[in-house]
């Protein structure tokens, strides 16, 4: 089992800079690398990573994505004077060359390939390469947008060639469209390219029709190119999350990649002068962690853009923390995507419906009359900067004005708020007498004796029928000490075997009395859940097979499925498209997952579920399992082990319809459930 996070940093890549006055290129500076690395050192993250060395890429590797003519042209820049460099640079769009550019571009690509090697050879599980020049705009015979060689595109071709990797997912979260990468794989179904980008109806650089949502790939690659054009600035955490939950993640599970490459530009983060977006640094920890259960954990994060040094470096640190398995801070801000983001997401889903199973059951249609379109066309003659400011104001007034006041001040206070300390122990286990292979890595917690009276007060109205059951008190005797340890931050998560699913409700109640302000209780299987259905502290989602008339409130959400067999696909898609949106809105401080036995869900599906749920509540999750034979798998997932990939599953149509109905009823209250404008 591969472990550890690789980190690549090398000062060689700082040895080029802009030599003449050229405002569009003035932001791409060497300090982007050193500032990121210094911040990683400052937080003690460098010493926790495995340093990987760089090398120069060889010509054969460069030519995996570039023409010989272009390679020779770039090579010739090494001996040019400033005038010649200037003339050469102006052959292309928004890029500059320096005598060291060629060398740096070879090291930047070589570093990327070193990371791919380390991950593919299991020397590390995942890793990040801090490189420049960036790559995703460069094309077969063209430099573009600060990019010389297309590091990530070449890395994908290299992995296919060197390791026979059959399916590669490229996630491009840079704020610009990586058109170079799109062109490289348009006709290739083995590389799924996902990019979100500032677009503003083609008003934003590189102003290409090719960046719109209806460009989906060609030939056998049709359906494997995913563009998410943002038509407004000011997109924030909820918008990015919605794109992941409603588009990228279900597609990625269906695609089932063997390797994930991230074109990690942080110009999509708050404070960036290019992006003018609002996502805060911890958002990138969420994005990263959400990708980690895929591809057996094989995740290579490669730097692209990012021009606000503070925002860039904090975001890099958040990404590395997630790669290391640290708990991710909760997301700030109201978890509601904006109308423009919802329109984009709806259009992307509509255009991709023919190509992806998980979209088959949605009644998706296009939004032709986009809320922002008329305006933007009206502004065409005007100056685009002021139009962007107006949009930003509308989108997120508080964030943006804060930023304008004093960005560093905002960032200082923000980071103080979000930085969380990881409990020393990751996973605890209530004494269960099992022989488990990873027991030595868990803390064993002693059970205690619980009196009936202690439990009775937890449930208002005093429905005490359950309390007659001796098993319940025994279970709670194991569960309460675990909750104590989790809420006191002595351990991050825990697992316990209990014959009674209803103990989950008592556990949820108990945790609100010992400090958890909000709890998510997710129950898989039939059980009587004795809880106050209007208690806004506890959000209950229960999935079960038997039809009945359970009352529903915004805080008690029964999901009743038709067949009681093979729910793996249904559960996974429900988690992504329904439960996580709810849960992000609830912002729980503890997640309790109660798993029944014989519920038609395989162990590794539960492992994915537990991994994904750890993006919530700083990873504080208690799993209560009826079946003791699941403990091994659950424990491994709680410990952060990589998970074997899931066979592509589908959401069954009748179950999809259940979600459609629930979404309609609940989306007013839980705003992140909105994935269409109707
Ligand atoms: C890698 C990257 C941006 C180029 C912007 C040119 N390039 N206006 O972020
Ligand atoms: Zn960019």
């Amino acid at each position: 089992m591969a472990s550890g996070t690789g980190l690549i940093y090398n000062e060689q890549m700082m040895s080029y800079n802009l030599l003449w006055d050229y405002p569009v290129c003035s932001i791409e500076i060497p300090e982007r690398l050193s500032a990121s690395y210094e911040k990683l050192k400052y937080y003690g993250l460098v010493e926790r990573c495995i340093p990987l060395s760089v090398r120069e890429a060889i010509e054969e590797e460069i030519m995996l994505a570039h023409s010989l003519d272009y390679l020779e042209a770039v090579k010739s820049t090494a001996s040019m004077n400033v005038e010649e460099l200037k003339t050469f640079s102006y052959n292309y769009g928004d890029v500059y060359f320096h005598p060291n550019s060629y060398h740096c571009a070879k090291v930047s690509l070589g570093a990327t390939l070193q990371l791919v090697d380390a991950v593919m050879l299991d020397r590390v599980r995942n890793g990040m390469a801090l490189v420049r020049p960036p790559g995703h705009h460069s094309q077969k015979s063209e430099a573009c947008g600060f990019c010389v060689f297309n590091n990530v595109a070449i890395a994908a071709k290299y992995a296919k060639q060197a390791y026979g990797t059959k399916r590669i997912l490229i996630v491009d979260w840079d704020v610009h469209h990586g058109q170079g990468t799109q062109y490289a794989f348009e006709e290739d179904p083995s590389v799924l390219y996902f990019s979100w980008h500032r677009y503003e109806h083609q008003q934003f650089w590189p102003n290409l029709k090719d960046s719109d949502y209806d460009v989906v790939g060609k030939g056998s690659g049709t359906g494997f190119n995913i563009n998410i054009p943002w038509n407004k600035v000011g997109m924030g955490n909820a918008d990015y999350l919605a794109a992941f939950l409603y588009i990228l993640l279900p597609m990625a599970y269906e695609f089932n990649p063997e390797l994930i490459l991230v074109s990690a530009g942080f110009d999509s983060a708050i404070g960036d002068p290019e992006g003018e977006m609002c996502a805060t640094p911890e958002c990138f920890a969420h994005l990263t962690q959400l990708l980690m259960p895929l591809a057996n954990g094989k995740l290579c994060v490669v730097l692209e853009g990012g021009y606000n040094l503070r925002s860039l470096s904090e975001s890099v640190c958040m990404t590395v923390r997630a790669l290391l398995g640290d708990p991710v801070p909760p997301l700030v801000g109201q978890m509601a995507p904006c109308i423009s983001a919802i329109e984009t997401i709806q259009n992307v889903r509509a255009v991709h419906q023919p190509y992806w199973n998980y979209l088959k059951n949605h009644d998706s249609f296009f939004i032709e009359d986009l809320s922002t379109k008329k305006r933007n066309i009206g502004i065409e003659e005007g100056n685009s900067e002021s139009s962007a400011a107006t949009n930003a104001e509308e989108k997120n007034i508080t964030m943006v004005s804060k930023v304008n006041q004093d960005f560093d001040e905002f960032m200082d206070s923000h980071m103080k708020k979000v930085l969380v300390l990881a409990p020393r122990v990751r996973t605890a286990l209530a004494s269960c007498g099992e022989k488990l292979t990873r027991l030595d890595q868990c803390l064993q917690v002693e059970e205690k004796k619980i009196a009936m009276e202690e439990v009775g007060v937890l449930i208002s109205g005093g429905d005490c029928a359950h309390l007659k059951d001796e098993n319940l008190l025994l279970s709670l005797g194991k569960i309460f000490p675990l909750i104590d340890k989790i809420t006191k931050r002595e351990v991050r998560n825990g697992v316990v075997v209990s014959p009674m699913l209803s103990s989950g409700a008592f556990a949820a109640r108990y945790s609100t009395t010992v400090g958890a302000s909000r709890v998510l209780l997710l129950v898989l299987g039939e059980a009587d859940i004795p809880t106050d259905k209007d208690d806004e502290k506890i959000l209950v989602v229960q999935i079960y097979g038997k039809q009945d008339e359970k009352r529903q409130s915004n805080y008690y959400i029964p999901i009743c499925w038709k067949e009681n067999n093979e729910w793996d696909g249904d559960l996974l898609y429900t988690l992504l498209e329904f439960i996580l949106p709810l849960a992000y809105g609830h912002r729980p401080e503890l997640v309790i997952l109660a798993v029944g036995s014989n519920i038609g869900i395989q162990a590794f599906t539960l492992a994915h579920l537990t991994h994904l749920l750890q993006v919530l509540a700083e990873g504080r999750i208690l799993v209560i399992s009826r079946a003791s034979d699941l403990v091994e798998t659950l424990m491994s997932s709680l410990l952060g082990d990589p998970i074997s990939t899931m066979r592509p599953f589908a959401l069954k149509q009748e179950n999809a319809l259940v979600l459609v109905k629930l979404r309609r009823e609940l989306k007013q209250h839980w705003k992140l459930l909105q994935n269409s404008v109707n």
Side-chain angles (χ1 to χ4, degrees), residues 136-137 174-176 265 267 304-307:
H136 70 155
H137 296 302
D174 187 283
V175 86
H176 301 95
D267 40 16
E304 297 277 2
Y307 308 101

Side-chain angles (χ1 to χ4, degrees), residues 135 232 265 399:
K232 273 196 161 199
M399 281 285 194

Side-chain angles (χ1 to χ4, degrees), residues 285-286 289 325-331 420-423 425-428 482 485-487 489-495 584 587-593 609-623 634 637-640:
H286 284 254
Q289 201 184 315
D326 285 3
V328 309
L331 285 182
V420 297
L421 269 184
V425 177
R426 176 139 180 171
T427 300
L482 273 179
K485 290 237 181 302
I486 294 172
T487 48
R489 294 173 190 261
E490 286 172 30
V491 304
R492 195 196 303 185
N493 56 41
V495 58
Y584 268 110
R587 291 184 298 120
E589 293 180 353
L590 175 69
V591 175
I592 298 174
L593 170 65
L609 195 74
T610 5
H611 183 114
L612 291 166
L613 286 169
Q614 288 178 65
V615 295
L616 304 163
E618 295 170 33
R620 287 187 291 252
I621 176 169
L622 174 68
V623 185
L634 292 167
S637 168
L638 290 174
L639 284 164

Side-chain angles (χ1 to χ4, degrees), residues 381-419:
E381 317 90 50
N383 114 10
S384 67
E385 235 159 83
S386 72
S387 85
T390 318
N391 285 343
E393 236 171 73
E394 275 179 11
K395 176 65 180 58
N396 202 329
I397 287 170
T398 37
M399 281 285 194
V400 172
S401 61
K402 260 186 207 144
V403 169
N404 291 344
Q405 263 172 35
D406 185 347
F407 186 72
D408 275 321
E409 210 174 89
F410 163 79
M411 221 38 167
D412 285 343
S413 85
H414 177 77
M415 295 319 291
K416 228 175 266 156
K417 260 182 273 169
V418 301
L419 283 175

Side-chain angles (χ1 to χ4, degrees), residues 466-492:
H466 296 81
L467 303 180
K468 305 263 153 49
D469 197 324
E470 188 61 20
N471 280 330
L472 179 69
L473 292 181
L474 283 177
S475 295
L476 296 180
K478 295 179 190 174
I479 290 169
F480 288 0
L482 273 179
I483 290 176
D484 289 339
K485 290 237 181 302
I486 294 172
T487 48
K488 281 193 218 140
R489 294 173 190 261
E490 286 172 30
V491 304
R492 195 196 303 185

Side-chain angles (χ1 to χ4, degrees), residues 24 27 94 134-137 144-147 174 176 205 267 274 304-307:
V24 296
I27 53 177
D94 295 14
H136 70 155
H137 296 302
C144 178
F146 318 152
C147 301
D174 187 283
H176 301 95
W205 189 90
D267 40 16
E274 277 284 313
E304 297 277 2
Y307 308 101

